Structures are given as C-alpha cells and as structure tokens.
Amino acid sequence: MTYACALERESGLELLQVSHPGGVGPRLRRELIDCWIAVTNAGGAAGFPFPPVGDGEVGPVADAIVGGLSPERSRLVVAQGDGALVGWVLLRRDPDRLVGHWGSIHHLQTRPDRRGRGAGAALVAEARRIARDELGLEQLRLAARGGEGLEDFYARLGWREAGRWPGALRLAPGDDRDEVLMVLTPL
C-alpha cells in the first residue's frame, strides 16, 4: 500500500509511505537504488561504508528491504519533490513482545544535490508520526556513524545519545569511528 502524507510539507515535498512490497514499482525501485548509490559514493553513512558502489552491491540489499515490507513490521517512507525521489528512510519494529514497544530507523538518506532543504528532517518527522500514531510505538532507536555530524542532526530533531561503541567501525587503517546509539522518546 502506498499513500501520500495528508499534509504537504512547506518545502514542497510529498511524503509517501510504502508498507507492502507491491507498493514499490520499477521506477521507485530504480530511484531508491540510484539515491543509495549517489549517497554512498558521495561519502554518506547509509549502510555501505566502502565506496564506490553500484547496482551489484546496492540492488540486492534494496530488494531485500522492499521484500520485507509489512504493515506490522517494516515501512518505507519516501520524500518526493518535483516528481522525483529526494530521499527515504526505513522504519522497523521487532515483533517480539519484549521489545515490541520500540522501533528503529535505518538508512536515512537524501540525494546529495537536495541536501540542506529539510528532506531529512521531514522524513524523520514522518517516521516518528507513523511509529507513534500507526504502530503504537513508544520510542525509536538508531545507530549512527560517529565523526559525520549525524549526532548533531538527530539532536536538533529531539533525539538524545544513549551510548557509544568506541572504535566499533573501521573505515580504513587509522580511521576508526564510534557507533553512536541514539533514542527518541517520547514519540
């Protein structure tokens, strides 16, 4: 199922939510992959730490994400502007009762040529709304690569640092980064 967010964002973005694999047609699939390649190859911390990447690396991972979409557990939030994909984020929840009250966001990214215009903040806000209003979640979590300024971005949106794994990510010899664990509560 795909539907547009009821409120058009001031920035001219349209936010769409996809909760079933069938909601991602060939054009959207291509745009998701192209965005992920552009973000990664521009140095973005979106799941592929060793650029350059291409269709061969990104396509199967994107297909697995799309194949796992489900109204109860996994939703894709897409920002479009001027008829094209601007960015996207994945919202997940674990079905286990023990942790069923929280969800997580993954792979937040916006096209490098569209950065700084509010798309990332709009995607996070929409994921938060979906988590609270549609999934009944109480908190969201994420893990971010340290040294990229991501902690500051999320902090501006109400997230707080919950912990760090020092030096958990090795991008290159001598370039170890912390993995920063962040939480957003209440929703």
Side-chain angles (χ1 to χ4, degrees):
M1 167 183 270
T2 305
Y3 67 91
C5 179
L7 296 173
E8 185 86 13
R9 300 289 181 204
E10 288 180 17
S11 60
L13 293 177
E14 180 180 18
L15 299 176
L16 306 172
Q17 179 184 160
V18 184
S19 59
H20 294 283
V24 177
R27 178 178 175 203
L28 179 55
R29 177 188 179 273
R30 179 77 258 154
E31 288 181 311
L32 292 169
I33 292 168
D34 289 346
C35 179
W36 209 344
I37 290 169
V39 167
T40 299
N41 291 342
F48 291 97
F50 305 109
V53 296
D55 283 354
E57 296 91 358
V58 178
V61 179
D63 290 341
I65 287 171
V66 170
L69 293 175
S70 118
E72 301 83 24
R73 290 187 310 278
S74 182
R75 301 189 187 187
L76 185 66
V77 183
V78 176
Q80 294 182 330
D82 300 323
L85 182 116
V86 174
W88 61 278
V89 67
L90 181 65
L91 171 63
R92 288 186 179 153
R93 84 169 312 157
D94 192 305
D96 189 314
R97 252 180 50 195
L98 182 64
V99 294
H101 61 289
W102 62 267
S104 55
I105 66 168
H106 304 267
H107 309 297
L108 174 66
Q109 53 193 282
T110 58
R111 294 193 59 86
D113 61 338
R114 295 292 303 257
R115 294 237 170 100
R117 300 182 195 174
L123 285 163
V124 172
E126 183 65 0
R128 179 183 194 172
R129 185 200 66 76
I130 293 165
R132 181 189 62 233
D133 297 348
E134 297 180 24
L135 297 175
L137 299 176
E138 297 171 22
Q139 64 178 272
L140 287 173
R141 299 178 183 184
L142 64 83
R145 182 190 306 167
E148 302 286 339
L150 298 172
E151 304 99 316
D152 295 336
F153 168 77
Y154 287 111
R156 286 191 303 273
L157 301 177
W159 293 73
R160 66 177 169 77
E161 187 174 320
R164 281 180 183 258
W165 290 333
L169 308 171
R170 178 161 292 160
L171 300 181
D175 188 7
D176 292 353
R177 307 282 180 92
D178 293 351
E179 185 162 37
V180 183
L181 308 174
M182 301 192 79
V183 65
L184 179 63
T185 187
L187 297 181

